[in-house]
Amino acid sequence: MGLHAAPPRRRRAALLVPLGLMLLAVLLGVPRADGALGSADACHTTGTQLPRGDCGPFWQVLAEDFDGDRVPLGSFSDCDHHVDTSAAYCGGLSGEYRDNWWAYPTGWRDTADDRDRDVVGVYHPEDTVSVGPATNGDGRMYIRMWRPADGGPVHAAAVVPRAVMQMKYGKYSARIKVTRLAPGYKSAWLHYGGGCEMDHPEGEWTGDLTAFHHPCGGGEQGYFPGSDHWTEWHTVSTEWTPGHVRFFVDGRQTGHDTRNVPDRPLSWILQNESALQGPGAAPGSSAQLDITWVAAYAYGWK
């Protein structure tokens, strides 16, 4: 285990001067003295390991690498308690996982249900989410979505780190890879509420990682297409500060918006569901996303 401190979406002095300049340079991706372009995100995230410790204006409140943990299928059950609040929990979980994780309850319908899609999804965390070691011993959270052979709805999954539920601003990072690919499955990891939404990463798993910002109160969405494939390991990060939202893939800034950025507490939803574009999931098919670590940070100078 690591360090831990809505209904489903319908469709997320002298010393200080150089430190400030340094932070600005990092955010803009200014080249280092050796000429190489440094990581643009506040934590300089270029490696594959779980980052630990505070960075820039962010202080770490969640660092989970899943190493040594086993949470079998069936554990993410009975999640209909205090839903969409920081008191939410899944009765099927125990110990630190009950304290630190929640999931959309069984029976909630996914975004495709409002999109006139032939294939829609229903959240079933009890038979889609588990934690355990990979063949190389690396601890991972597994999101395995599937569609029954009889052609029923996709079994979807949305998990929520409780440490950052209803938190205003922050930095949110994870290292992910789709390890089993099939058409008809997607992710939309998001913050949303009150007419505001920030999505990263989002997209059908057969395509590329993208990001979106839906300004509070409406207006044209910010769309930030990517060129990185879901089927390769990537570190994804969202940095949300007053008046700014920035999106990163492997330390490279892929999007930035300043229009009506949320200024209210929101939860980070790791939402995975049936596709909104392209073919629907075939009966009997399945697809899987692996998460090898998750890190999150509150915002503000300490």
Side-chain angles (χ1 to χ4, degrees):
M1 293 293 295
L3 165 73
H4 300 276
R9 149 181 125 133
R10 296 303 183 186
R11 37 166 282 319
R12 221 201 86 185
L15 178 61
L16 294 178
V17 173
L19 283 175
L21 293 175
M22 184 183 303
L23 175 59
L24 178 62
V26 169
L27 291 175
L28 294 178
V30 174
R32 303 193 308 259
D34 61 7
L37 185 64
S39 172
D41 77 302
C43 292
H44 309 274
T45 307
T46 57
T48 61
Q49 300 302 310
L50 169 68
R52 293 187 181 276
D54 305 341
C55 52
F58 302 104
W59 51 283
Q60 194 169 49
V61 295
L62 171 67
E64 176 58 83
D65 60 11
F66 306 110
D67 286 348
D69 297 339
R70 291 182 181 271
V71 181
L73 284 175
S75 301
F76 276 84
S77 60
D78 188 25
C79 298
D80 202 3
H81 299 276
H82 308 294
V83 301
D84 252 9
T85 73
S86 57
Y89 69 92
C90 296
L93 294 173
S94 60
E96 291 185 338
Y97 272 87
R98 178 182 286 200
D99 294 339
N100 296 321
W101 292 91
W102 178 61
Y104 280 179
T106 300
W108 280 15
R109 297 189 175 275
D110 74 1
T111 308
D113 190 59
D114 281 348
R115 299 296 181 89
D116 197 29
R117 293 278 295 178
D118 292 336
V119 179
V120 300
V122 174
Y123 291 105
H124 281 277
E126 77 285 352
D127 59 23
T128 54
V129 184
S130 62
V131 175
T135 54
N136 64 357
D138 178 41
R140 298 180 188 175
M141 175 177 279
Y142 301 105
I143 308 293
R144 179 184 175 272
M145 297 189 289
W146 54 283
R147 189 179 181 203
D150 65 6
V154 166
H155 286 220
V159 291
V160 185
R162 291 185 61 201
V164 290
M165 290 186 77
Q166 296 300 305
M167 188 169 79
K168 184 177 176 180
Y169 306 131
K171 177 179 173 65
Y172 307 85
S173 303
R175 190 158 180 83
I176 61 173
K177 178 183 179 179
V178 170
T179 55
R180 180 183 178 90
L181 185 65
Y185 301 90
K186 69 163 291 187
S187 288
W189 289 20
L190 74 160
H191 293 79
Y192 82 105
C196 312
E197 186 169 329
M198 303 173 292
D199 307 81
H200 178 60
E202 178 168 2
E204 275 64 33
W205 288 354
T206 51
D208 299 327
L209 282 72
T210 58
F212 295 87
H213 174 229
H214 304 271
C216 300
E220 183 179 358
Q221 71 176 9
Y223 168 53
F224 307 100
S227 59
D228 300 289
H229 302 306
W230 288 90
T231 51
E232 299 172 351
W233 282 109
H234 292 294
T235 298
V236 294
S237 297
T238 296
E239 292 183 3
W240 170 29
T241 57
H244 295 267
V245 59
R246 294 180 172 88
F247 306 111
F248 299 88
V249 177
D250 299 328
R252 183 182 74 257
Q253 183 171 297
T254 59
H256 176 209
D257 209 343
T258 60
R259 299 169 302 126
N260 294 325
V261 174
D263 62 357
R264 54 177 286 168
L266 298 171
S267 297
W268 187 30
I269 313 297
L270 315 187
Q271 180 176 272
N272 312 281
E273 54 188 5
S274 60
L276 300 181
Q277 298 179 349
S285 67
S286 66
Q288 181 170 305
L289 175 74
D290 290 10
I291 307 170
T292 189
W293 56 257
V294 176
Y297 307 74
Y299 170 78
W301 292 100
K302 297 177 65 177

